[in-house]
Amino acid sequence: MIQFENIVKRFRRHQVLKGVNLTIERGHRVALVGSNGAGKTTLIRCLLGEYNCEGSVSVDGQDPRQYRREVLSKVGFVPQLPPPLRMPVGQLIRFAASLCDTDPGRMVAVAGKLGFDADHFHSQPFVKLSGGQKQKLLIAIALGRESELLVMDEPAANLDPEARHIFFTLLAEKKERAAMLISSHRLDEVASLVNRVVEMDQGEIVLDDKVADLVDLSSRLYCRIRLIQPEAAFAKAIGEWGFNGSDGGLVWDGFIAGPDRLRFLGLLSRYAALLSGMEIIEAEDKEPSVNVV
């Protein structure tokens, strides 16, 4: 599917990529991780044909620079930073759909599932949308088509918890048919989405490892948190996940997407001294899969 062979990229005298070799096949869900400046985004831009580079890049045997339209017709791309487009939402959807010969209605439908009413914002310039609205629309454009390759740079960064759950469910529908390359500077953000981890550092691949593929991307967990005492900072943080408090702020209940479990536990770890108990239960099950008292 994707082949990087001895990729070198320089910006003037600075060598950003230093002989990268990497193969990604259909069914691979790859976390591309590393600190800022590791070379992740540069590698993605070489894959999309945006940069010239030394070595060779191919998608299904085609060079993305030489056959850019053909390659991009197979790719669903979600950038980390939304482009500053002044194009109205409706026109953007029609334009994106025309590039891959897709019904625009499919993109509108995916946007609706994520909580963005594309028809309501039909005439609104893309640049005027909020960060979360932009992210939902870009995801809808990427997933509302028959993509053979999904390339996503911090894709869920601006999504609310409910939209994240829907996003993960949509990814689950494509996991057998497409290759996925998900870039992030934090492994805990994407660990449960992938079955392979590639880590970059200073323009080189320093780790390429398969990981256990045990999490159902469409799963959901019910969580109940009990505190020793109420805490305003905790209430604000857990409230952003859609949790509801009771018993004077001592008990909090809510749902999280299965792939978000590591990210959620990272949040709770910051308030470990406040916790008196926690249970996490698969939403379909009667018995808790994790019970800490």
Side-chain angles (χ1 to χ4, degrees):
M1 179 68 190
I2 304 172
Q3 186 77 46
F4 295 98
E5 294 184 356
N6 197 31
I7 300 302
V8 174
K9 178 60 181 176
R10 295 181 177 87
F11 293 100
R12 296 183 180 178
R13 295 184 179 181
H14 180 51
Q15 189 172 354
V16 179
L17 299 178
K18 305 172 182 177
V20 173
N21 291 286
L22 182 65
T23 301
I24 301 173
E25 301 292 349
R26 282 180 177 80
H28 289 190
R29 303 194 305 279
V30 180
L32 184 64
V33 299
S35 60
N36 291 332
K40 306 185 302 297
T41 299
T42 301
L43 189 67
I44 287 174
R45 289 183 174 178
C46 291
L47 171 62
L48 298 176
E50 295 180 14
Y51 288 160
N52 282 314
C53 59
E54 298 175 37
S56 67
V57 183
S58 65
V59 178
D60 280 345
Q62 294 181 311
D63 184 321
R65 290 287 293 182
Q66 186 177 357
Y67 298 97
R68 193 159 188 216
R69 184 179 180 88
E70 291 85 350
V71 168
L72 292 182
S73 69
K74 305 175 183 179
V75 178
F77 176 51
V78 182
Q80 180 182 9
L81 298 175
L85 299 174
R86 297 193 174 277
M87 190 181 297
V89 166
Q91 184 180 347
L92 175 59
I93 291 173
R94 291 193 302 273
F95 173 73
S98 70
L99 295 178
C100 54
D101 195 24
T102 296
D103 179 3
R106 293 180 56 182
M107 297 177 180
V108 172
V110 173
K113 291 179 181 179
L114 291 167
F116 177 72
D117 186 345
D119 290 331
H120 178 75
F121 291 95
H122 180 82
S123 301
Q124 180 91 335
F126 176 81
V127 73
K128 297 291 186 180
L129 300 177
S130 70
Q133 290 170 337
K134 291 175 183 175
Q135 195 76 350
K136 290 174 182 179
L137 180 54
L138 291 173
I139 289 172
I141 288 172
L143 299 186
R145 55 189 288 184
E146 289 299 327
S147 303
E148 298 177 40
L149 169 61
L150 290 172
V151 180
M152 298 170 282
D153 199 347
E154 305 281 1
N158 291 315
L159 298 183
D160 56 83
E162 179 62 26
R164 288 175 70 92
H165 172 62
I166 299 299
F167 171 56
F168 298 146
T169 300
L170 292 169
L171 288 185
E173 296 173 359
K174 292 180 175 287
K175 69 177 186 178
E176 303 298 335
R177 307 191 306 273
M180 300 184 192
L181 183 61
I182 306 173
S183 176
S184 179
H185 68 284
R186 290 179 52 182
L187 181 57
D188 64 341
E189 289 281 343
V190 295
S192 297
L193 296 176
V194 302
N195 53 24
R196 184 178 170 192
V197 175
V198 173
E199 182 177 359
M200 295 188 68
D201 184 41
Q202 298 183 19
E204 299 179 300
I205 292 177
V206 296
L207 173 71
D208 185 352
D209 200 8
K210 294 181 179 179
V211 297
D213 191 9
L214 301 177
V215 177
D216 179 357
L217 295 181
S218 61
S219 65
R220 206 167 201 185
L221 306 173
Y222 165 76
C223 307
R224 168 167 283 194
I225 312 297
R226 293 181 291 279
L227 303 182
I228 296 171
Q229 64 184 43
E231 171 60 51
F234 179 84
K236 180 180 179 181
I238 202 76
E240 292 175 354
W241 284 74
F243 275 57
N244 297 310
S246 60
D247 195 16
L250 291 175
V251 179
W252 293 85
D253 296 88
F255 292 88
I256 64 170
D260 260 342
R261 66 187 73 195
L262 185 58
R263 181 170 173 263
F264 182 71
L265 291 174
L267 166 71
L268 295 183
S269 69
R270 303 204 300 267
Y271 302 95
L274 286 172
L275 302 181
S276 67
M278 174 181 70
E279 64 180 10
I280 300 179
I281 308 169
E282 292 288 346
E284 302 80 7
D285 298 340
K286 299 294 185 182
E287 299 298 326
S289 56
V290 178
N291 191 5
V292 181
V293 179

